[in-house]
Amino acid sequence: MSSHLAPTADLERGITTLGGRRLVFHCHHYNVFLQRTIEDALQERAPRLLVAAGMEASRSMLQKLEAEAESASAADALRRAADMFAAQGFGRVDVGELGESGGRATLDHSHYAVGWVSRWGKRPSPGCFFVAGFLAGALAAAHRLSPERITSREVECVAAGDERCSFRVEVW
Ligand SMILES: [Zn+2]
């Protein structure tokens, strides 16, 4: 990872930022417990909120990084987003099939899926909402799309018993 993509640490203030956004580091126990709390409270409304939060957090960060050091192409911007995603410990996402009109992405070793299974076992439906949101935000930043035009959902998930996590991203 080149230096302009690495998080910046302000040791005096105890703040780490990436693309102008503050980073908070949590283990999978914290992250899946927080997600479960939100799902328990909001029930069927939870996925939409969790995906929207992931999208907005990633879109704003990636847009700022693109403004500071523009990628050579949209495909490069998506690869850079995937590299950053992996560097933050969320897993290696393949964005090679994502384009301006959307597409499919797959994820190996999802932080959320592996974390969920290790904490509570299988779940009845896909659970990598943050990842779905991140992909929507990355596509919005790479192709300069309005976030309202993008929907993203996970269609297969390791946490639900599938072999891998895969996502369908659509642009309207
Ligand atoms: Zn998953």
Side-chain angles (χ1 to χ4, degrees):
M1 179 182 295
S2 60
S3 61
H4 68 277
L5 299 180
T8 302
D10 181 338
L11 298 178
E12 279 192 24
R13 298 168 58 207
I15 295 172
T16 302
T17 57
L18 182 61
R21 302 289 301 206
R22 290 185 182 190
L23 296 182
V24 179
F25 300 94
H26 288 299
C27 69
H28 66 283
H29 296 288
Y30 180 95
N31 287 338
V32 298
F33 199 93
L34 175 61
Q35 178 175 319
R36 184 165 187 167
T37 300
I38 293 169
E39 288 191 78
D40 286 349
L42 297 182
Q43 301 288 310
E44 71 278 358
R45 293 179 296 147
R48 186 172 173 189
L49 172 74
L50 291 165
V51 172
M55 174 163 68
E56 191 48 36
S58 63
R59 185 182 67 86
S60 58
M61 177 188 69
L62 294 168
Q63 276 184 336
K64 184 140 193 272
L65 286 172
E66 284 298 316
E68 292 172 353
E70 189 173 3
S71 297
S73 67
D76 283 348
L78 283 171
R79 279 191 288 274
R80 177 162 86 169
D83 288 344
M84 291 176 45
F85 187 82
Q88 300 305 314
F90 290 116
R92 170 54 63 185
V93 63
D94 182 350
V95 293
E97 294 180 38
L98 276 185
E100 189 167 8
S101 58
R104 178 174 179 261
T106 57
L107 172 63
D108 291 326
H109 312 296
S110 166
H111 167 86
Y112 281 92
V114 173
W116 189 282
V117 170
S118 72
R119 188 74 174 84
W120 289 297
K122 284 184 189 172
R123 47 181 288 141
S125 58
C128 301
F129 302 112
F130 174 77
V131 184
F134 183 92
L135 290 167
L139 196 68
H143 289 281
R144 301 173 192 223
L145 298 170
S146 168
E148 294 81 16
R149 294 185 57 202
I150 304 173
T151 60
S152 179
R153 68 185 178 90
E154 189 176 25
V155 293
E156 295 175 300
C157 184
V158 167
D162 296 310
E163 280 192 26
R164 61 176 20 193
C165 297
S166 73
F167 302 83
R168 173 65 55 192
V169 184
E170 294 179 298
V171 178
W172 302 91

